[in-house]
Amino acid sequence: MSTPDSAPIPEAHPHSHPAPPTRSYDAVLKSIEADLRDGRIKVGEQLPGERALALEHGISRASVRDAIRVLDAMGVVRTGVGSGPQSGAVVIANPSAGLASTLRLHMATNHFPVSDIVQTRIMMETWAAVEAAARPHDAAQETQLRKLLEAMNTPSLGREEFHVLDAAFHVLLSSLAGNAVVTAMMESLRSAIQGYVSAAIDSETKWAQMVPSLRRQHEGIVAAVLAHDGVGAARALKEHIEWFHAQTMPTHGKPNP
């Protein structure tokens, strides 16, 4: 009979993965995260210099630079040269930049299928439409929405310009829900998928056929939101996104031939 002291040590599973090695700059990232969380560093302030961070964490200045590059890619800092308050690494708040880059790269590896991204958009945008319709809208927000619609209705507008305005339209519409996380996610999703959508429509004839429907759909969505019809706005958004996806990638995420 075996005892706890004599019990054999279980062998590692043959398919288990070893823990990733700790990188030198991880300590800097964790330290800055803690400082931001506790308010010791605020948005708009500079991070300590490379030399100070290297001495504090016992790592090389090259490793500190690696940490700053990671934070820059995440949209947490902006780096600048020279002297003054805008030099060095300044803390900013641009979460959508890092999220968009990550999403684009994982979409390129086919880890995130475009169809899954579209489904995520539908979930977030329909929720945001219901919330936005229930909230009061100030004149500035309504004016901004109508200006985007007016710009997208310009007859001479090019396809790429339309895509840029369309992205801004969906982000603004979602921002009316008042949820900062949803707004950042929408910005990243629209940025990530925009290039794929643009590449999927390679026929000017097809684009000309689609534009009138897109304009009518946008008008209907805005009308429902401003009329505080959350159910109607969510339904119109879902139909709009699904219709556009079906037009550009109708078969297993592949664009029309």
Side-chain angles (χ1 to χ4, degrees), residues 182-200:
V182 168
T183 301
M185 288 296 296
M186 267 306 304
E187 289 175 349
S188 64
L189 283 171
R190 289 296 302 172
S191 175
I193 205 171
Q194 185 174 323
Y196 291 81
V197 168
S198 178

Side-chain angles (χ1 to χ4, degrees), residues 194-252:
Q194 185 174 323
Y196 291 81
V197 168
S198 178
I201 310 172
D202 55 3
S203 166
E204 290 298 331
T205 301
K206 180 173 180 59
W207 175 244
Q209 294 170 347
M210 292 175 61
V211 166
S213 295
L214 290 172
R215 288 169 174 159
R216 285 194 301 271
Q217 291 164 6
H218 287 156
E219 294 279 0
I221 292 165
V222 171
V225 170
L226 296 183
H228 302 286
D229 179 7
V231 173
R235 181 175 59 249
L237 260 169
K238 182 176 184 292
E239 291 173 353
H240 164 65
I241 295 170
E242 289 180 338
W243 178 86
F244 188 75
H245 183 58
Q247 296 297 309
T248 56
M249 299 175 183
T251 307
H252 303 297

Side-chain angles (χ1 to χ4, degrees), residues 85-109:
Q86 298 304 311
S87 64
V90 178
V91 178
I92 61 174
N94 186 20
S96 62
L99 290 170
S101 297
T102 301
L103 284 169
R104 280 196 302 269
L105 288 169
H106 284 294
M107 287 171 70
T109 66

Side-chain angles (χ1 to χ4, degrees), residues 24 27-28 48-65 67-68:
S24 298
V28 178
E50 286 182 7
R51 179 179 298 177
L53 288 171
L55 288 172
E56 178 183 352
H57 298 286
I59 59 177
S60 68
R61 293 180 67 171
S63 293
V64 171
R65 283 192 289 273
I68 300 301

Side-chain angles (χ1 to χ4, degrees), residues 3-253:
T3 64
D5 291 336
S6 62
I9 299 174
E11 295 181 3
H13 192 279
H15 299 296
S16 63
H17 299 285
T22 301
R23 295 159 297 198
S24 298
Y25 61 77
D26 281 342
V28 178
L29 298 179
K30 291 178 181 177
S31 174
I32 291 172
E33 178 186 349
D35 286 344
L36 288 168
R37 186 174 58 246
D38 296 339
R40 290 187 290 270
I41 300 176
K42 297 180 176 63
V43 172
E45 295 181 349
Q46 290 174 307
L47 293 183
E50 286 182 7
R51 179 179 298 177
L53 288 171
L55 288 172
E56 178 183 352
H57 298 286
I59 59 177
S60 68
R61 293 180 67 171
S63 293
V64 171
R65 283 192 289 273
D66 287 341
I68 300 301
R69 290 190 190 100
V70 171
L71 292 170
D72 195 344
M74 289 179 175
V76 176
V77 302
R78 180 191 64 246
T79 56
V81 297
S83 58
Q86 298 304 311
S87 64
V90 178
V91 178
I92 61 174
N94 186 20
S96 62
L99 290 170
S101 297
T102 301
L103 284 169
R104 280 196 302 269
L105 288 169
H106 284 294
M107 287 171 70
T109 66
N110 294 319
H111 184 70
F112 288 161
V114 175
S115 58
D116 288 358
I117 297 290
V118 171
Q119 287 177 347
T120 303
R121 277 191 58 203
I122 290 172
M123 286 190 292
M124 288 200 303
E125 290 196 58
T126 54
W127 175 87
V130 173
E131 292 295 312
R135 295 164 64 93
H137 309 127
D138 60 36
Q141 291 172 328
E142 184 172 343
T143 299
Q144 198 173 357
L145 272 175
R146 295 198 181 281
K147 282 184 176 180
L148 282 170
L149 289 177
E150 183 180 344
M152 284 188 284
N153 287 340
T154 304
S156 60
L157 189 68
R159 178 154 47 97
E160 293 305 321
E161 291 83 1
F162 188 98
H163 286 320
V164 172
L165 291 170
D166 177 66
F169 169 79
H170 282 271
V171 171
L172 175 59
L173 201 61
S174 296
S175 73
L176 298 182
N179 186 303
V181 177
V182 168
T183 301
M185 288 296 296
M186 267 306 304
E187 289 175 349
S188 64
L189 283 171
R190 289 296 302 172
S191 175
I193 205 171
Q194 185 174 323
Y196 291 81
V197 168
S198 178
I201 310 172
D202 55 3
S203 166
E204 290 298 331
T205 301
K206 180 173 180 59
W207 175 244
Q209 294 170 347
M210 292 175 61
V211 166
S213 295
L214 290 172
R215 288 169 174 159
R216 285 194 301 271
Q217 291 164 6
H218 287 156
E219 294 279 0
I221 292 165
V222 171
V225 170
L226 296 183
H228 302 286
D229 179 7
V231 173
R235 181 175 59 249
L237 260 169
K238 182 176 184 292
E239 291 173 353
H240 164 65
I241 295 170
E242 289 180 338
W243 178 86
F244 188 75
H245 183 58
Q247 296 297 309
T248 56
M249 299 175 183
T251 307
H252 303 297

